[in-house]
Amino acid sequence: MGIKFDVFDARDLLAFPGGDNDTDTVFGGVHFNTTTLHHWNYTYYSNRTLSNDSECWLTFPPYEPQLLLTNGSFVNATSCYNSVNPIGSRGYTGIGFSVFFGLGLVLTVTVLAKHGALYLPKERRFYPIGRRWQWYWACFVCACALVSLFTNVDVDRYYLQELPIIVSIFFWFLTCLGTVALTWEAVRHWGSWLERQYVDPNPFIYSNGDRRSQVEFWTPLWFYFWLWMNFFLVVPRSWNFASYQRSPEQTAQYAIPTATGARFKAAAFCLFVAWLTIVFSLRHSIKHYKPRNRGIFNRAVGFIRAVPLRLVLIIPLSLALIAYQAFISFVWEFSIIRFDGVVPVIFAWGFGPSLLILYIQIAYGYASPNEDKELLRQRRERGGMINRELGFIKKPAWWRRVRGDHLGTLRDKIGSNVNEVGGERGVGRRVEDEMERHAREDAARNALEDDGGIELSCIHHADASANPRVDRAGAKAVPTSLPYAGRNERRHTERVVQTAASVLFPSDIETQRAQRAAFLMEIGPPPPPPYTDEQRHEPDVGRPATAQRTNSTSTTRSVNVEPQQVRSMLDI
């Protein structure tokens, strides 16, 4: 009967068909010796197979054995585990679904290449693999579904169920697990994408140690805990019960009790907890990264509007798939484990949600842009908005070519910038225009012509040379304000203004300076005479003129000498 090893049911046993005598039996018109059959422990079963728990042979035409040897082996016999039946509705439907899953696998790989590409530097807060996980799980779902669907062909063709039904059911449960994981990664990454857009204008709007970040850290661990609980309840077990459907009695004794056992019920419950985690993650993302509404009704409406259409479709579909796994753990009649089950229910409810979720994801992948490119577009829009608020108009692309800015290398541009530095203003200051120069000259002229046109600087200088100041002790004071003999008009104007201020508003500062100078002359040799600005520019003997240091802010020399030859950025 094809029941191997420890599986045996007395209700499946039948007596050998009668032959010419007591030691003769007939299978398909061929006579066999019953003594030899009993000697090698062959038993005839109700499914018209002959087996001794190690070998199983078909006994109906045209697959009946032609000869039985004394060593217990048959000649021209057909094993019970051969594909002798034609392909049924389950096999044809599985081939049709496998075509769509195969096409989905190809499209998923292309979408993965599109959304997995990087156009911005990597960030520790948003790893590139985070956006790729949903496509990795989609490839996993396609691969498992293809294996499960193709093996349905042999489920129909095998006369007695063996390995094909086991492989088909095993990979279907993995397909369910992968579909729920695909839904989770789609929802989780949608929230991560919202967060990335939310913090891109201001990276410090949220701290890394708040309650929000803690929830986002522990929620994936919680989800995958229940997902792997489903895996460990379903996968690590003996799957031979799926093949024990070789007779009605064997199905009722072995297959049905195991398929509707507590482990499959608990596995479906674990998937349901994982689905509730998906809904919680969706609500968490909307709460923190979408506009908030007041009132119960407004919050409900805002929640519905905030959820994208893709998630509105795939979340109920994943729940439908979980519901089917829970349903078949109670009802055997519509179970996918049953080899002759109801085909429309098996494929529409068992494989349909996974296929729809897969193609919804593919449509989203082709319709939506790469996230890095979208982020760059949003940054350009924000930059344009800020420029409009500031009144800055960005020049078009042809502007540089009209002005000739595209000509020359970077070294030439640096050299031209260095050659333009000069004039009467100090290096690093803004160049004085004509209007500012006229205003400065008028101010200096008005300062000199005050008090009836008397030039205060000339009076001060003459008085200082004819009658040096004398301090209270009777010692001659060293003049602290010397006449300016340089060519810098700005400094000359400043000296004139200072002299005029000292005459109009006398103070004891000059007296204190004179006393301090007299005290220093009494305790030591007199200090060397102060140098004028022109003397400061005189080079030392033995040193080149370009090597002299000066504190002057005048750039007159920089105009007269040859332009500096720039060799690198370090020379500037």
Side-chain angles (χ1 to χ4, degrees):
M1 125 135 208
I3 306 175
K4 295 184 178 181
F5 306 109
D6 57 341
V7 181
F8 181 82
D9 191 351
R11 293 175 295 179
D12 298 331
L13 299 178
L14 295 178
F16 289 122
D20 296 339
N21 50 46
D22 295 338
T23 60
D24 182 64
T25 183
V26 179
F27 295 109
V30 180
H31 295 266
F32 298 94
N33 191 302
T34 57
T35 304
T36 305
L37 293 175
H38 286 298
H39 176 74
W40 295 104
N41 199 25
Y42 277 103
T43 309
Y44 185 59
Y45 292 92
S46 58
N47 55 12
R48 298 186 297 172
T49 61
L50 196 64
S51 174
N52 62 352
D53 291 344
S54 61
E55 300 289 342
C56 181
W57 310 102
L58 301 179
T59 60
F60 55 88
Y63 306 107
E64 71 278 4
Q66 300 300 318
L67 179 64
L68 176 61
L69 303 179
T70 56
N71 59 2
S73 59
F74 289 90
V75 178
N76 292 336
T78 303
S79 175
C80 301
Y81 309 108
N82 280 351
S83 303
V84 297
N85 293 331
I87 300 177
S89 58
R90 180 165 180 162
Y92 284 119
T93 310
I95 293 174
F97 270 78
S98 63
V99 171
F100 290 103
F101 275 103
L103 179 61
L105 178 60
V106 176
L107 298 177
T108 301
V109 173
T110 60
V111 174
L112 173 61
K114 173 185 176 181
H115 288 270
L118 297 181
Y119 298 92
L120 288 174
K122 296 181 181 179
E123 302 179 28
R124 296 186 60 184
R125 195 169 183 177
F126 305 100
Y127 290 99
I129 197 173
R131 68 176 99 164
R132 300 170 184 168
W133 266 118
Q134 55 183 329
W135 310 113
Y136 292 155
W137 280 115
C139 294
F140 177 82
V141 169
C142 291
C144 293
L146 285 173
V147 176
S148 178
L149 290 168
F150 275 122
T151 52
N152 281 313
V153 175
D154 285 333
V155 170
D156 282 343
R157 298 194 64 193
Y158 266 51
Y159 182 74
L160 296 182
Q161 299 303 318
E162 197 189 28
L163 185 61
I165 188 67
I166 295 176
V167 174
S168 178
I169 303 306
F170 178 84
F171 280 95
W172 179 82
F173 277 99
L174 292 181
T175 303
C176 293
L177 184 145
T179 303
V180 177
L182 167 62
T183 307
W184 156 256
E185 288 298 336
V187 174
R188 183 206 58 79
H189 174 66
W190 177 74
S192 177
W193 171 233
L194 289 182
E195 180 187 4
R196 190 179 183 188
Q197 297 176 91
Y198 194 80
V199 303
D200 186 66
N202 183 12
F204 305 101
I205 192 171
Y206 280 132
S207 61
N208 292 329
D210 56 353
R211 182 178 179 275
R212 174 198 58 85
S213 62
Q214 294 295 323
V215 170
E216 293 177 357
F217 174 79
W218 290 106
T219 303
L221 300 179
W222 174 261
F223 171 83
Y224 280 106
F225 168 76
W226 291 103
L227 190 71
W228 291 117
M229 284 296 297
N230 172 270
F231 175 84
F232 288 118
L233 285 172
V234 172
V235 174
R237 63 178 305 159
S238 175
W239 285 87
N240 289 329
F241 74 92
S243 63
Y244 294 159
Q245 305 180 54
R246 297 153 185 164
S247 65
E249 296 80 4
Q250 189 185 48
T251 301
Q253 184 178 357
Y254 296 100
I256 295 178
T258 307
T260 58
R263 291 188 63 173
F264 285 105
K265 294 181 175 67
F269 174 77
C270 292
L271 283 187
F272 179 70
V273 176
W275 183 85
L276 293 178
T277 308
I278 296 174
V279 177
F280 172 79
S281 177
L282 179 68
R283 185 256 179 192
H284 171 83
S285 300
I286 294 175
K287 175 183 177 182
H288 290 280
Y289 308 120
K290 285 292 186 178
R292 299 184 179 181
N293 300 292
R294 296 183 178 274
I296 298 177
F297 179 76
N298 292 333
R299 287 183 180 179
V301 173
F303 181 85
I304 296 174
R305 291 180 177 178
V307 180
L309 179 62
R310 169 175 64 109
L311 302 184
V312 171
L313 296 176
I314 67 175
I315 292 179
L317 287 173
S318 62
L319 179 61
L321 185 63
I322 297 172
Y324 178 70
Q325 185 172 336
F327 178 72
I328 64 176
S329 64
F330 290 93
V331 180
W332 167 259
E333 182 180 358
F334 301 99
S335 177
I336 194 174
I337 305 176
R338 182 180 174 184
F339 79 97
D340 57 346
V342 182
V343 174
V345 175
I346 291 176
F347 286 92
W349 200 357
F351 290 95
S354 300
L355 185 62
L356 292 176
I357 290 174
L358 180 66
Y359 275 90
I360 290 172
Q361 283 288 105
I362 292 173
Y364 154 76
Y366 277 101
S368 61
N370 181 278
E371 294 179 6
D372 286 353
K373 291 184 177 181
E374 176 65 17
L375 207 60
L376 291 173
R377 185 192 64 81
Q378 294 179 10
R379 290 177 181 178
R380 288 194 297 268
E381 288 185 355
R382 288 197 301 270
M385 184 182 301
I386 294 175
N387 292 339
R388 287 192 296 271
E389 293 177 356
L390 297 177
F392 175 77
I393 300 176
K394 187 177 180 180
K395 302 297 188 299
W398 51 265
W399 182 264
R400 294 176 65 254
R401 296 186 176 275
V402 172
R403 292 172 53 91
D405 295 340
H406 66 290
L407 302 176
T409 61
L410 179 61
R411 181 169 182 166
D412 297 335
K413 294 179 181 179
I414 295 175
S416 63
N417 293 337
V418 173
N419 294 332
E420 290 178 0
V421 176
E424 298 180 355
R425 307 283 293 179
V427 177
R429 302 186 181 182
R430 184 174 57 84
V431 180
E432 185 181 40
D433 56 13
E434 292 295 331
M435 183 178 295
E436 292 176 340
R437 186 173 62 82
H438 286 301
R440 177 175 54 77
E441 292 175 354
D442 292 342
R445 191 179 302 107
N446 294 335
L448 293 175
E449 294 177 357
D450 285 344
D451 266 345
I454 301 176
E455 187 176 355
L456 300 180
S457 61
C458 298
I459 297 176
H460 176 70
H461 297 157
D463 181 70
S465 61
N467 186 18
R469 289 180 294 177
V470 180
D471 60 356
R472 297 176 182 177
K476 292 183 179 181
V478 179
T480 59
S481 178
L482 298 177
Y484 178 72
R487 291 178 295 180
N488 193 323
E489 296 182 3
R490 178 174 174 274
R491 179 165 295 183
H492 184 273
T493 304
E494 291 178 355
R495 290 289 180 89
V496 172
V497 175
Q498 291 177 1
T499 304
S502 63
V503 173
L504 296 177
F505 306 100
S507 62
D508 296 336
I509 296 177
E510 295 294 334
T511 304
Q512 294 176 4
R513 290 179 179 175
Q515 293 177 357
R516 177 64 177 170
F519 175 74
L520 292 176
M521 294 177 65
E522 291 177 358
I523 63 177
Y531 294 99
T532 62
D533 289 323
E534 291 297 319
Q535 293 172 337
R536 289 192 182 96
H537 289 290
E538 294 297 329
D540 294 340
V541 178
R543 299 183 62 187
T546 58
Q548 303 301 321
R549 297 182 179 179
T550 175
N551 295 326
S552 175
T553 58
S554 175
T555 60
T556 307
R557 290 181 57 83
S558 64
V559 178
N560 297 331
V561 298
E562 295 182 0
Q564 180 182 2
Q565 298 298 327
V566 179
R567 293 187 300 273
S568 66
M569 290 296 294
L570 300 178
D571 296 337
I572 299 175

